[in-house]
Amino acid sequence: MSLRDQTYLRIVLYEGRDAEPLDSEQRFQAVSRLLNQGFALTHVGGAGRTAPADDVPALVLGRFQNGLEKLAAEAASERVRFTNVSGLTDEQIVAAVESVRAEKQAVQHGGWKPWFPVIDYDRCTNCMQCLSFCLFGVYGADGAGHIQVQNQDNCKTNCPACSRVCPEAAIMFPKYKAGPINGDAVKDADLEREKMKVDISALLGGDIYSMLRARSERAQSRFSKERDSGKALNERQKCLTKLAQAGDIPPEVLMSLPSPEEILRRAGEAKAKALAALAAQR
Amino acid sequence: MTPDTPGILYCNCTYAQIIDPAVKGHVLRRLCDSGKSFEAVADLCEMSARKDPALKRLAGGPGVKIAACYPRAVKWLFASAGAPLDGARTEVLNMREQAGPAVIERLLADDVQPNLPPGKASPGVAPRGQTPEPEAQTGATSAEAPASA
């Protein structure tokens, strides 16, 4: 299922006027549990501001009193539903929310670790190196030829390799362990490091995939002469090890790479997309 | 409550273990006990990837204080989801770097100390070879100002 085009459900925990507040511990536990289940919620307390209503269906939870429960029942509609949580434990509150989510067929969270590149357009120069580098179709270009992250869920979890080839340190992975890839400010020293990494890939043959291609060709050549599939496999494994070191790519991502031929095909497609996007800017 | 009270947004970063649980726990517990209204989300990254419409309503309003991670990441997570934050009225508290008490103190304060990185308010890059023109982040007058939900 696509990450987008889904139904959303807004959860509101109402503790304002004419509602009895939850106990402190229960409030914290209920909010924590809902967040850990992937829900977002609006907490309405006695002070402060909440985001305004919109077209998203809402479930309002509260210990309604002074007739508010009756009013809530009368006001309930397809869009807004009220649930009185008086007497419910925090586990039961979460279960009640999950029940409404399932009934509304709203998005179920937690099926995908949100690992994907985020472009810092203050730094990006639209050079398309990321697009031509990524084999998994994460990047694309808009109608004006501007680089975009288009398929976040195609990204390989914990792989920050495209950020390593960005000459401007413009690609972030907010869940990465270290800066500047995690979004920390980019320092001059970071830029030097990033340049060094690109230089490493250049030394390996123009770019990492060029290296892979060259090694694949050499391996194929030997394979045709020697008919030794073991050597070809060994060659690929050596190549993958260097890739892992150069790009901080998790081994499981490398092991899931397709055959060298398929890599070449995908790399060719990615480069063609990048060239088309660059041409569209001119 | 005054009309220009800044909103409060807490990100639980549910799908990664990059924020000290003690920091998250301290901030969320104090927030829950504050009596203030707030918005809490499981994971801003996931919402950004989904282009969750909630991001637009969270970005709107007279100002917002966000407890999450690095301001540069938060700025572009919102912007890439089509919900750019108003740099003049947004303060990001970084739970990856700041201690829990420091985060909650600023989160509950009535004023906003804007700290988003300056520059563009939304995606869009200068063609290759041209230097991007930095734009002041004055969302109140910008055409890119976040849409009020």
Side-chain angles (χ1 to χ4, degrees):
Chain A
M1 179 182 281
S2 166
L3 276 178
R4 297 168 199 162
D5 306 322
Q6 299 200 15
T7 302
Y8 293 91
L9 177 66
R10 183 177 186 182
I11 312 297
V12 178
L13 178 57
Y14 180 79
E15 295 188 277
R17 201 176 65 181
D18 290 334
E20 181 189 347
L22 275 64
D23 300 334
S24 169
E25 184 62 21
Q26 187 184 22
R27 181 187 307 114
F28 173 72
Q29 291 298 337
V31 171
S32 294
R33 283 176 185 271
L34 286 168
L35 293 175
N36 289 330
Q37 291 286 318
F39 292 105
L41 80 152
T42 297
H43 173 258
V44 181
R49 187 179 66 83
T50 58
D54 52 21
D55 292 337
V56 175
L59 170 63
V60 184
L61 311 166
R63 287 178 170 174
F64 308 125
Q65 56 184 14
N66 295 337
L68 189 62
E69 185 174 20
K70 185 165 175 284
L71 274 176
E74 288 170 359
S77 67
E78 280 298 303
R79 281 276 174 212
V80 184
R81 183 178 298 192
F82 296 82
T83 295
N84 194 334
V85 298
S86 296
L88 298 188
T89 64
D90 46 273
E91 292 100 327
Q92 289 169 326
I93 291 173
V94 175
V97 171
E98 174 56 27
S99 171
V100 175
R101 184 211 62 76
E103 182 191 321
K104 296 277 185 188
Q105 297 184 310
V107 59
Q108 185 166 22
H109 302 274
W112 169 68
K113 178 177 177 177
W115 175 275
F116 59 93
V118 177
I119 298 173
D120 177 347
Y121 287 94
D122 288 329
R123 304 192 65 83
C124 178
T125 60
N126 216 32
C127 70
M128 299 290 164
Q129 286 207 36
C130 49
L131 194 159
S132 61
F133 176 80
C134 178
L135 286 178
F136 304 105
V138 172
Y139 294 94
D142 66 12
H146 293 154
I147 188 73
Q148 285 182 326
V149 178
Q150 291 184 339
N151 298 297
Q152 285 88 341
D153 48 341
N154 279 5
C155 193
K156 299 298 175 187
T157 302
N158 297 331
C159 175
C162 57
S163 68
R164 302 287 192 191
V165 302
C166 176
E168 302 295 335
I171 297 175
M172 297 176 280
F173 285 84
K175 297 193 188 309
Y176 189 66
K177 60 192 173 192
I181 294 174
N182 61 10
D184 198 357
V186 180
K187 304 176 185 74
D188 289 345
D190 295 322
L191 271 181
E192 290 306 311
R193 262 202 299 276
E194 295 309 312
K195 279 179 192 162
M196 190 174 70
K197 278 169 186 144
V198 175
D199 288 346
I200 287 171
S201 71
L203 285 173
L204 292 173
D207 62 49
I208 288 174
Y209 290 116
S210 294
M211 178 192 77
L212 190 60
R213 182 169 57 245
R215 283 177 171 264
S216 171
E217 284 166 358
R218 285 200 295 275
Q220 279 181 346
S221 170
R222 275 198 295 276
F223 180 76
S224 62
K225 286 175 193 164
E226 302 168 15
R227 295 282 174 194
D228 185 345
S229 59
K231 276 192 176 175
L233 180 61
N234 189 38
E235 193 68 24
R236 186 173 184 221
Q237 284 171 338
K238 278 188 194 167
C239 175
L240 294 180
T241 303
K242 282 206 171 184
L243 266 172
Q245 291 166 349
D248 193 15
I249 305 172
E252 57 271 26
V253 172
L254 292 173
M255 295 317 292
S256 70
L257 283 176
S259 66
E261 292 73 22
E262 177 64 9
I263 288 175
L264 284 179
R265 189 188 68 75
R266 291 191 196 178
E269 277 184 5
K271 282 189 175 169
K273 278 168 70 178
L275 287 172
L278 288 170
Q281 295 170 35
R282 295 187 188 115
Chain B
M1 181 175 109
T2 57
D4 58 354
T5 302
I8 296 173
L9 171 60
Y10 167 87
C11 173
N12 197 52
C13 197
T14 294
Y15 302 115
Q17 284 76 49
I18 53 173
I19 296 176
D20 184 346
V23 174
K24 284 199 300 185
H26 179 86
V27 172
L28 185 58
R29 186 174 287 276
R30 290 286 311 277
L31 196 53
C32 284
D33 288 344
S34 70
K36 287 199 170 188
S37 297
F38 62 87
E39 306 283 339
V41 302
D43 198 298
L44 278 176
C45 289
E46 194 214 24
M47 295 176 81
S48 174
R50 291 184 186 281
K51 296 197 183 331
D52 191 324
L55 289 172
K56 281 189 177 166
R57 70 170 181 248
L58 296 171
V64 64
K65 296 205 269 192
I66 304 171
C69 56
Y70 291 99
R72 189 165 72 101
V74 173
K75 170 181 173 176
W76 291 110
L77 281 169
F78 272 84
S80 60
L85 292 161
D86 181 344
R89 295 181 291 199
T90 301
E91 179 176 357
V92 176
L93 291 317
N94 182 356
M95 293 192 289
R96 290 185 76 161
E97 295 284 345
Q98 295 177 264
V103 171
I104 195 69
E105 182 186 341
R106 285 301 315 147
L107 210 54
L108 297 178
D110 288 333
D111 64 316
V112 176
Q113 297 178 358
N115 66 345
L116 282 189
K120 299 186 185 82
S122 61
V125 288
R128 194 177 192 191
Q130 294 182 15
T131 305
E133 289 291 333
E135 298 168 12
Q137 280 199 323
T138 52
T141 57
S142 167
E144 304 284 357
S148 293

